[in-house]
Amino acid sequence: MPPLPLLRLPGVVLCEVFKLLSIGEKIKLSFCSKKTSAQINSARLYSQRVIVVLIMTQKVIRVYSDYQPVGFYIAICTEKIDDSNIQHARIEGCSVPVTTTDSEPIKINTFWKDLKEGFLSITRHLLKIFHCKISTGRDCWRHELFEPILTELFNQQQVFEKIFIGLHESVDHNWLNRIFTYSELVEGIEIPYLYSLTPSTFIPTFPPWPRQEITIKPNFSWLTLDTLFTCTCSHIYIANTNLENKDLDEILTYWKAGGLPNLEYLTIGSTKIKFDGDPILGMVPSEWEDETTIQTNDGLKTAVVQICQNYLEMLTLPQP
Amino acid sequence: MTSPASSSEVKYLIESSEGNTFDVSGAALRQSNTFNAMFLNIGADGPIPFTDYNEATLKKVFEYCEHSVNEENYSGPKHQDDLSKWDLNFFNEMDQKMFIDVINASNFLDIERLTSYCCERIARMLRGKNTQEMIKVITLPTAEELEAKQKVEEKKAAAAKKVAEKAAETAEKTETLEELPVQQLVQTTRNKLTRKYLSFSNE
């Protein structure tokens, strides 16, 4: 069959065709030419809720969605090209050498002079197609490109799905300060365990809190109840604290009085919870049922609370 | 047009770009949302003009509609593997040009099922291909061709610039000539003619 004049088809038809393609196929088609890229961009394929994960440590970008969780990988290569199957793709106005690997998950290798340029060009290209949110890989905060790439994207007011920030002593405090001031552009922040690494003396300033979710895994002395009570997130996960029964009582009392207004889910871990210790909401923990239902003082919100040996878990129920 | 109330027996006359007319059943025609919006309620005197499309294309489109009249309600595009033998034959019989014409007509007539199947067929042409293979499928110049084209265009532009510069130079000379007093101009022309005459004589 002779070649199909795809771009001469009506816009509605083109849009339907694009929707039928997988994430990877859309990306590969967008690499064909400036015109295909422009056509795909104008199809506004935003409903898929695509997430782009920048994994600097592996020099790769993963693109996936809830519908296509396996997704598609784009490698950013800076080494010499040693492949006879080199093709050329149009990416952000440049002709970029690429090779494709067909094994699952399908990966396209793109070759750049500079790693940062590669990451940013591909990211911009993907943003135009999918209007996607960006996440970073779990350990990428250690990578030298983490700061310059995120700075550039934050400056463009790009919204992030989730970023991991290791509070390690090697990370510059000015940079950490900056990143936390951009929290409003981030839906979720996770501060991961450092295991054998030395934690930083840095104290993050909240608010602003991330838009939806905060996860703090190490035990930090700076995380006090006063700080927690300013939290505007809907999902709060704090793995390790020194909070005692009276502190948990204070948190639940605060919520009942209308505090933490956005809260939907809360987990607080602590080794200092005592089952026969101080009462929480008037009951010693051993008297609590597996799941106890509590209500705000105004009766508008209901939550289910579970107190276990070393954590408290709370889930607010949808309002009728 | 005949128009007894809502009967599948009703036949409508369709007019193509060649001015030819042919019959289509009401049931088949009602698969076109464009027809439903334009003619279903108000009716039409005489043939319905779909004169942007030729007879062969329209007949092919309505062949599909006539066939699918008796099928169950449409429930989204099927995978190629789920298409019936008839459907597959319908698509396989078409050459590229007819396929494009059918897509365009189906899109205009807003026949959801046929348009969706056509889109699925195009998507299948692109599936499992790398960028270079996709370029071959969709008639696009490759990056190298684009670069070569750009170089040619740059050369052309440079050549055009040279021509323009020469033209400007000539214009300047002409302007200089025009600025000469009439007597001197006559003399210059005479000299030129003399030189021409001499060169002829020498030959």
Side-chain angles (χ1 to χ4, degrees):
Chain A
M1 235 183 178
L4 180 84
L6 185 77
L7 299 184
R8 272 181 245 147
L9 293 175
V12 184
V13 172
L14 268 184
C15 194
E16 281 307 307
V17 172
F18 296 150
K19 280 183 194 165
L20 290 168
L21 299 176
S22 69
I23 289 174
E25 285 155 357
K26 285 182 193 111
I27 294 171
K28 282 190 276 182
L29 188 60
S30 75
F31 285 168
C32 286
S33 78
K34 206 174 165 182
K35 279 187 181 171
T36 50
S37 176
Q39 202 70 50
I40 291 176
N41 294 347
S42 63
R44 305 169 75 87
L45 307 164
Y46 312 148
S47 60
Q48 260 189 310
R49 279 190 42 79
V50 168
I51 307 290
V52 167
V53 190
L54 307 177
I55 312 171
M56 292 92 166
T57 44
Q58 293 172 34
K59 297 181 183 174
V60 84
I61 294 177
R62 180 185 170 214
V63 193
Y64 75 97
S65 76
D66 289 345
Y67 306 106
Q68 292 173 37
V70 175
F72 185 75
Y73 287 79
I74 304 171
I76 319 290
C77 315
T78 46
E79 56 270 24
K80 271 193 171 178
I81 313 161
D82 185 22
D83 195 320
S84 56
N85 299 318
I86 284 282
Q87 304 147 24
H88 281 83
R90 297 297 298 179
I91 303 170
E92 292 297 287
C94 303
S95 173
V96 181
V98 299
T99 59
T100 311
T101 52
D102 291 331
S103 55
E104 286 286 335
I106 296 168
K107 191 169 83 175
I108 192 160
N109 304 300
T110 59
F111 294 86
W112 303 83
K113 281 181 190 160
D114 179 70
L115 199 59
K116 182 186 163 195
E117 185 202 348
F119 264 101
L120 284 172
S121 297
I122 297 279
T123 306
R124 286 192 198 108
H125 186 86
L126 297 172
L127 285 170
K128 284 180 197 161
I129 301 176
F130 300 113
H131 267 215
C132 41
K133 287 175 189 154
I134 297 175
S135 289
T136 59
R138 186 170 292 271
D139 295 322
C140 291
W141 58 270
R142 299 179 197 196
H143 197 275
E144 57 183 353
L145 284 182
F146 185 73
E147 181 182 340
I149 288 177
L150 261 69
T151 301
E152 189 128 352
L153 293 170
F154 276 136
N155 288 343
Q156 292 163 14
Q157 298 294 301
Q158 172 58 44
V159 174
F160 280 75
E161 170 89 356
K162 185 166 189 177
I163 54 176
F164 294 82
I165 311 167
L167 297 187
H168 178 241
E169 63 175 359
S170 66
V171 185
D172 176 41
H173 284 203
N174 288 331
W175 159 238
L176 287 174
N177 260 325
R178 240 187 3 258
I179 204 169
F180 279 102
T181 59
Y182 280 120
S183 293
E184 278 172 318
L185 288 174
V186 185
E187 295 195 343
I189 289 180
E190 177 167 336
I191 301 173
Y193 283 121
L194 292 177
Y195 297 101
S196 56
L197 298 173
T198 322
S200 172
T201 53
F202 174 79
I203 299 174
T205 43
F206 296 111
W209 289 86
R211 288 180 178 184
Q212 288 177 6
E213 192 181 319
I214 181 77
T215 302
I216 302 171
K217 290 199 169 164
N219 189 350
F220 290 113
S221 56
W222 50 258
L223 187 67
T224 61
L225 285 189
D226 285 341
T227 310
L228 183 64
F229 289 163
T230 65
C231 189
T232 49
C233 295
S234 57
H235 291 69
I236 305 171
Y237 180 90
I238 303 167
N240 281 288
T241 66
N242 296 322
L243 298 180
E244 299 173 1
N245 291 20
K246 63 178 172 53
D247 301 313
L248 301 182
D249 176 64
E250 201 173 327
I251 291 170
L252 295 182
T253 308
Y254 183 71
W255 178 80
K256 278 168 70 76
L260 300 167
N262 302 325
L263 190 67
E264 289 175 20
Y265 179 81
L266 168 75
T267 294
I268 293 180
S270 173
T271 49
K272 301 215 168 158
I273 301 172
K274 286 186 181 154
F275 259 45
D276 54 352
D278 291 336
I280 299 173
L281 294 183
M283 291 184 288
V284 287
S286 56
E287 289 173 350
W288 279 66
E289 292 169 18
D290 281 352
E291 286 182 350
T292 303
T293 304
I294 60 169
Q295 263 196 336
T296 49
N297 297 337
D298 58 12
L300 292 176
K301 289 184 193 170
T302 309
V304 175
V305 182
Q306 196 178 7
I307 299 174
C308 296
Q309 193 66 43
N310 50 9
Y311 69 89
L312 172 144
E313 192 176 26
M314 176 175 165
L315 179 70
T316 61
L317 301 175
Q319 285 168 301
Chain B
M1 183 194 79
T2 50
S3 56
S6 66
S7 160
S8 59
E9 301 299 317
V10 180
K11 295 280 183 186
Y12 290 80
L13 269 183
I14 301 293
E15 186 184 346
S16 69
S17 60
E18 300 95 329
N20 298 341
T21 55
F22 61 95
D23 283 346
V24 174
S25 76
L29 200 50
R30 275 195 296 278
Q31 289 181 43
S32 159
N33 291 327
T34 305
F35 166 79
N36 290 338
M38 290 167 72
F39 297 106
L40 191 63
N41 294 326
I42 58 168
D45 299 327
I48 300 170
F50 289 132
T51 48
D52 282 346
Y53 304 96
N54 63 34
E55 186 180 1
T57 305
L58 289 172
K59 277 189 170 168
K60 194 74 184 165
V61 168
F62 287 114
E63 179 192 344
Y64 190 87
C65 294
E66 295 285 4
H67 175 78
S68 51
V69 162
N70 297 322
E71 282 194 3
E72 287 169 18
N73 288 339
Y74 175 66
S75 58
K78 295 175 186 174
H79 275 284
Q80 197 82 357
D81 305 335
D82 301 330
L83 290 181
S84 68
K85 201 177 168 185
W86 188 94
D87 287 327
L88 285 173
N89 280 338
F90 174 82
F91 284 113
N92 291 339
E93 277 171 5
M94 282 187 264
D95 61 13
Q96 180 83 277
K97 189 184 174 306
M98 175 63 89
F99 180 57
I100 302 291
D101 289 344
V102 165
I103 295 171
N104 284 320
S106 175
N107 177 59
F108 171 75
L109 293 167
D110 195 4
I111 302 166
E112 205 178 323
R113 185 191 307 225
L114 179 57
T115 308
S116 294
Y117 288 171
C118 289
C119 291
E120 171 64 26
R121 206 170 163 80
I122 298 170
R124 278 179 69 93
M125 291 178 191
L126 298 167
R127 287 205 182 112
K129 297 202 164 48
N130 64 37
T131 299
Q132 220 64 16
E133 288 164 342
M134 282 180 173
I135 290 172
K136 282 180 192 161
V137 170
I138 60 172
T139 340
L140 270 182
T142 61
E144 289 95 332
E145 281 168 347
L146 275 174
E147 268 175 27
K149 195 181 166 192
Q150 199 179 336
K151 276 180 188 169
V152 170
E153 275 167 11
E154 279 169 8
K155 274 185 184 175
K156 270 188 185 172
K161 199 181 168 188
K162 271 188 182 176
V163 171
E165 280 170 2
K166 269 196 174 178
E169 259 177 44
T170 318
E172 247 176 54
K173 277 181 187 170
T174 317
E175 274 170 26
T176 325
L177 278 177
E178 279 167 1
E179 282 166 12
L180 290 172
V182 178
Q183 285 293 329
Q184 206 178 332
L185 192 62
V186 169
Q187 189 55 49
T188 316
T189 316
R190 203 172 272 165
N191 290 345
K192 272 185 187 171
L193 285 173
T194 316
R195 275 204 298 274
K196 219 173 194 181
Y197 170 75
L198 284 175
S199 67
F200 267 117
S201 324
N202 290 338
E203 280 171 8

